[in-house]
Amino acid sequence: MAMSYDLVIPAWHHGHVEPDAVQRALQATADGGVIGLPTETVYGLGAVARDRAAVGRVFEIKGRPLDHPVIVHVAGPADLRTWGKGVANYAVRLAEGLWPGPLTLVVPAADDVPRYLTGGQDTVGLRCPAHPVALAVIEATGPLAAPSANRFGQVSPTTAADVVGDIGDRLAPQRDLILDGGACPVGVESTILDCTGDAPRVLRWGAVEVDEIERISGRRVSTGTSAVRAPGGLASHYAPRAEVHLGDHPAPGDGFLALRQVPTPPGAVRLAEPEDTRAFAAVLYRSLRDADALGLPAVWAQPPGEGGARAVAVGDRLRRASVR
């Protein structure tokens, strides 16, 4: 691609946020631009949440359907009541106990919340990311609508280079930018909880453990169907060009991904050997991208069988990636 890293601004250096990067992000978003920014989960494509034109560019750049809600990234628990109305007390407890963190809370939307953020629903998804760069930017710009910074339905980005490769040619060099905050440590998207009922319901699995949600909320967590639409709910999602299969039967030349103790089948290309479920989640999307970079026809993955919420999240992403 002709455009390389001209859009990328170093934002994290020796454990500190670069003030110039935050200032440039503020200027870009104030002028209607969009920014790729790191979170602890994946990189997001952010626009000022109440700037309809800028959010519209996010949808256009991603190729995202307009009826698909986006998550609003906020600065902290106080924003829960600003953006929501009639918010359940258990949702407030979750925000106070688990934000910043990889947890999105879907609550009844306040009357002034733009419906272009909610996919036309009367609910809004809110999250406070646990990444110093993202938090510093949100403090400067105000809440950001920030879905993952990739083409809709494809593998989520976990580095600034991924963002460049996915959508760099769709960004405006004089208007937009990408903040490089290093690799995302969690590696899979946030847990999404429907908090519109008497107890939280899981809409998407992530890194937050159920027992922690139940301890803080004081409610039993449920799963299953919900009337609320949330990101990442399509049957086919997170997919590389390579075909994805679950199991350990790759043909010679196929990619293979499994925990370290699982041997590599003869002739397979080992994509990663994570030592535990946490590491598996962190390298999942990197491995799927590596398979495409190597031109592999298929990836066989053996999800971790145990390991709590992260294991469920990894299995969920791989199953959706396998659907064609």
Side-chain angles (χ1 to χ4, degrees):
M1 120 182 1
M3 181 180 301
S4 180
Y5 288 80
D6 296 340
L7 291 163
V8 178
I9 308 299
W12 182 248
H13 184 65
H14 293 309
H16 297 283
V17 178
E18 293 286 355
D20 179 65
V22 175
Q23 184 59 37
R24 293 183 65 174
L26 174 60
Q27 180 178 352
T29 54
D31 292 339
V34 301
I35 57 173
L37 78 163
T39 77
E40 78 278 27
T41 58
V42 300
Y43 271 70
L45 183 62
V48 171
R50 294 189 184 275
D51 185 335
R52 180 168 192 157
V55 175
R57 288 191 64 224
V58 169
F59 277 83
E60 181 180 1
I61 289 165
K62 284 181 58 66
R64 186 183 184 91
L66 293 177
D67 64 350
H68 228 62
V70 294
I71 295 169
V72 177
H73 290 62
V74 298
D79 288 317
L80 190 63
R81 295 196 185 278
T82 301
W83 286 78
K85 69 175 182 180
V87 177
N89 288 334
Y90 72 79
V92 175
R93 292 194 292 270
L94 287 169
E96 292 174 344
L98 294 174
W99 283 359
L103 177 67
T104 295
L105 303 176
V106 177
V107 299
D111 294 337
D112 64 345
V113 171
R115 291 310 188 253
Y116 57 78
L117 298 171
T118 71
Q121 301 179 111
D122 59 2
T123 57
V124 61
L126 304 171
R127 178 165 108 80
C128 176
H131 194 292
V133 172
L135 284 174
V137 171
I138 293 167
E139 288 284 356
T141 64
L144 297 174
S148 56
N150 60 327
R151 295 287 288 159
F152 182 72
Q154 298 180 3
V155 181
S156 298
T158 55
T159 67
D162 294 341
V163 181
V164 174
D166 287 353
I167 60 172
D169 59 350
R170 293 171 172 261
L171 301 181
Q174 304 303 319
R175 191 179 191 186
D176 309 322
L177 56 85
I178 299 167
L179 301 179
D180 187 351
C184 301
V186 173
V188 293
E189 297 82 358
S190 63
T191 301
I192 301 180
L193 296 180
D194 174 359
C195 295
T196 61
D198 293 335
R201 181 182 298 272
V202 177
L203 301 181
R204 181 177 72 188
W205 290 95
V208 183
E209 297 297 338
V210 168
D211 58 357
E212 190 172 22
I213 295 170
E214 293 183 339
R215 177 181 61 81
I216 293 173
S217 69
R219 298 286 192 276
R220 291 292 301 273
V221 173
S222 62
T223 59
T225 59
S226 169
V228 174
R229 283 180 283 110
L234 297 179
S236 178
H237 217 68
Y238 316 108
R241 293 189 299 274
E243 292 187 1
V244 176
H245 304 277
L246 274 64
D248 58 357
H249 306 293
D254 287 346
F256 185 64
L257 175 62
L259 290 171
R260 181 172 298 171
Q261 62 265 31
V262 180
T264 305
V269 178
R270 188 75 183 220
L271 295 170
E273 296 180 303
E275 63 183 15
D276 56 24
T277 303
R278 182 181 294 267
F280 201 125
V283 302
L284 172 61
Y285 292 145
R286 173 82 275 129
S287 299
L288 296 181
R289 287 176 177 274
D290 287 346
D292 282 347
L294 292 169
L296 304 183
V299 173
W300 286 76
Q302 184 169 316
E306 298 180 356
R310 276 184 172 83
V312 177
V314 167
D316 170 73
R317 303 314 191 268
L318 285 170
R319 281 190 295 275
R320 294 179 193 276
S322 70
V323 176
R324 297 286 174 171

